[in-house]
Amino acid sequence: TAAAYNLGQTLALRGHTCVNGAGASGCMEYMNRGAHDNNGHIVGVIHEKFVVDGSDCLEGANSVFGKGNRMLLVAKGNDLQERKRLLVEGA
């Protein structure tokens, strides 16, 4: 987890965008925190399958996506191919 935080921090300090699956736990959580704590730009891509009907899409994503220089994209489709496409385009 320290390595993930350091990666997010490095991306932010070098002016890169941190693009990932918007996870609220594990490596994505710490990478997002590292970028967030250093005012980095973060793009998260979550699939609509992980959004509970009628809820705010932020519910399934890391809390950093509710503020600042962050963008959360919601992919659609019957599988995860659209999500993968959005991740690659954002990279």
Side-chain angles (χ1 to χ4, degrees):
T1 56
Y5 183 92
N6 290 337
L7 176 58
Q9 178 182 41
T10 299
L11 290 170
L13 293 175
R14 292 185 180 180
H16 298 288
T17 299
C18 179
V19 180
N20 64 73
S25 61
C27 290
M28 283 187 278
E29 173 188 11
Y30 285 93
M31 186 168 55
N32 287 327
R33 294 259 171 244
H36 173 267
D37 291 350
N38 292 277
N39 300 311
H41 184 252
I42 307 169
V43 175
V45 182
I46 190 169
H47 194 278
E48 67 182 351
K49 290 181 179 191
F50 304 122
V51 177
V52 178
D53 288 341
S55 75
D56 182 348
C57 66
L58 294 175
E59 185 176 303
N62 189 295
S63 63
V64 302
F65 290 100
K67 52 196 151 197
N69 193 16
R70 320 299 179 250
M71 182 186 326
L72 185 64
L73 305 176
V74 179
K76 299 184 183 295
N78 295 327
D79 55 30
L80 297 178
Q81 293 304 311
E82 177 67 8
R83 181 174 183 242
K84 290 177 184 177
R85 185 185 67 75
L86 290 171
L87 284 165
V88 170
E89 283 182 1

